[in-house]
Amino acid sequence: MRLILHTAGWLCALAVLLSVNTAQAQDLHTKSKVYGADNKCNIIMDQTKSAYTSTDMQARMVVVNGNNMGIYYLQHNYADNKHYAMWESLDGEIQGYAMRDKDGFDYNVDRRYLGHLSWHPTQIWNRIFDQNPDFESFSCVMTGRTRLAGYRVTLIRLVPQDGLRYTYLIARDDDTEMPIELAILSPEGEVLTKITAIDFNTTQKPFPHDDNIFESYAGRQKSIETVKPWKELNLPADFKLIGYGSLKDDNDNETSVYQEFSDGITSFRVYKSPRISVLMPTVSNGTLNIFRKVSGDSEYAVVGEVSIKLSESVLSNLSP
């Protein structure tokens, strides 16, 4: 498989590769506090995460990502100190994905398919509210109160201090302290993805997928203790190496190598492959982007849920 990304359709193909190591990213970040100038905002954000993490709930969710919109059924359960989440499409075929803590899988009931977890835009919701990420390098700011979808909500803005990562705008229900909406903004302020709860309830309902399935798709990670990030990369301080690997063609020849990095909320891979003649520098779809740059006889590509601005910074040390 060569890293020749001629169309936006390659975004989905490479996205399947991105989510395999998401669990490793979550293991790196276990702090619970949100830091910033607004202490009241920090407290409210902690309350929101705590309420969501410990609550059994079901909701219909509207997801707008780039040019796509979908309606999903979300079920969240907390049992035996484990966090369960299922996002199932309400459009067309019965399909979606399920997660138990850091492990997950994709499924399609109509096609009788069960497979490894791929990338989904809603996974950012899971990581922010259910995986206890580290927001130490974000400023937490309360921006007001309003009504949204019939709920009285408090608006919280999480702003990255580096100016490169996405900003997260959260609306949380004042009565239940549960999150109602998450908007993901580019560094320039453009809304890239919006996830909104149309309705939700907190009745107890058994999780529909058996624990044995999660055991079958538990993440198996390589040791990264002796692996160092490539010295030519300009990595943001909050992103840590979580994986590495290579891609091969049908004849088992290596076509590119990659390293993967995460801040606990989003992740990206940097691919390095031989230089090719056709170059499409940037492809975008919602929060997922591909940015490419040539240096000498090599071509680099940043692929993941990070801004173009951050991708450009990562490859800024490369010379033509």
Side-chain angles (χ1 to χ4, degrees):
M1 176 179 179
R2 289 183 59 81
L3 193 66
I4 305 175
L5 311 177
H6 295 293
T7 66
W10 277 94
L11 281 164
C12 296
L14 285 174
V16 173
L17 300 171
L18 278 171
S19 289
V20 175
N21 289 327
T22 297
Q24 301 169 36
Q26 296 162 355
D27 285 341
L28 290 174
H29 302 276
T30 57
K31 297 181 181 179
S32 61
K33 288 293 181 183
V34 179
Y35 296 89
D38 191 339
N39 186 58
K40 185 176 181 180
C41 180
N42 300 335
I43 294 172
I44 290 177
M45 186 62 198
D46 278 345
Q47 291 172 343
T48 303
K49 292 195 298 178
S50 177
Y52 184 84
T53 298
S54 60
T55 299
D56 286 2
M57 58 86 73
Q58 307 87 44
R60 282 189 301 148
M61 310 291 290
V62 175
V63 180
V64 180
N65 181 59
N67 297 322
N68 304 313
M69 185 183 79
I71 301 178
Y72 296 83
Y73 169 74
L74 165 63
Q75 181 171 335
H76 176 271
N77 290 64
Y78 179 68
D80 299 325
N81 293 320
K82 294 183 175 65
H83 308 278
Y84 296 81
M86 180 187 75
W87 291 78
E88 185 171 281
S89 174
L90 297 178
D91 299 321
E93 296 181 343
I94 302 174
Q95 61 181 324
Y97 72 94
M99 296 194 70
R100 184 192 66 184
D101 290 337
K102 59 186 179 181
D103 299 320
F105 56 88
D106 289 353
Y107 67 89
N108 186 310
V109 175
D110 295 343
R111 298 173 186 258
R112 297 184 178 181
Y113 170 79
L114 202 64
H116 289 284
L117 183 69
S118 61
W119 177 83
H120 301 271
T122 54
Q123 287 174 355
I124 290 182
W125 175 286
N126 300 337
R127 295 174 208 147
I128 287 178
F129 299 120
D130 208 22
Q131 296 297 336
N132 210 12
D134 183 358
F135 286 111
E136 187 171 351
S137 59
F138 285 76
S139 296
C140 184
V141 181
M142 289 178 57
T143 60
R145 287 185 167 87
T146 186
R147 296 193 70 87
L148 176 67
Y151 300 98
R152 293 183 305 168
V153 300
T154 295
L155 301 178
I156 301 169
R157 184 181 290 263
L158 299 174
V159 183
Q161 296 170 4
D162 56 22
L164 298 174
R165 289 173 291 167
Y166 295 138
T167 290
Y168 305 104
L169 183 60
I170 298 162
R172 78 112 190 214
D173 177 33
D174 288 340
D175 293 329
T176 64
E177 298 181 345
M178 295 284 283
I180 299 299
E181 184 173 88
L182 170 66
I184 304 169
L185 282 63
S186 71
E188 294 74 29
E190 178 187 1
V191 177
L192 303 174
T193 298
K194 183 178 288 187
I195 306 171
T196 308
I198 300 176
D199 58 63
F200 73 89
N201 65 77
T202 56
T203 58
Q204 290 188 336
K205 187 175 181 180
F207 197 71
H209 298 285
D210 190 88
D211 269 0
N212 292 333
I213 304 177
F214 291 103
E215 299 297 338
S216 301
Y217 290 94
R220 297 174 178 84
Q221 65 186 70
K222 298 179 181 178
S223 173
I224 59 172
E225 293 180 0
T226 61
V227 180
K228 302 295 183 183
W230 296 329
K231 61 182 181 180
E232 63 265 37
L233 302 180
N234 179 36
L235 295 171
D238 295 288
F239 281 82
K240 309 302 180 185
L241 179 70
I242 63 169
Y244 66 96
S246 64
L247 300 181
K248 297 182 179 181
D249 60 21
D250 295 338
N251 297 318
D252 205 35
N253 297 314
E254 187 175 271
T255 59
S256 65
V257 292
Y258 68 83
Q259 292 187 333
E260 185 168 0
F261 305 89
S262 177
D263 67 347
I265 305 174
T266 61
S267 63
F268 67 89
R269 286 184 177 183
V270 180
Y271 289 87
K272 183 178 181 180
S273 59
R275 183 172 183 170
I276 59 175
S277 58
V278 179
L279 181 67
M280 182 181 292
T282 305
V283 182
S284 301
N285 184 17
T287 57
L288 189 63
N289 293 291
I290 297 173
F291 176 76
R292 299 164 70 190
K293 190 173 182 179
V294 169
S295 179
D297 294 330
S298 298
E299 176 189 317
Y300 293 78
V302 178
V303 184
E305 319 169 270
V306 292
S307 69
I308 294 298
K309 190 174 182 180
L310 187 147
S311 301
E312 291 174 338
S313 178
V314 169
L315 301 184
S316 61
N317 289 341
L318 300 181
S319 56

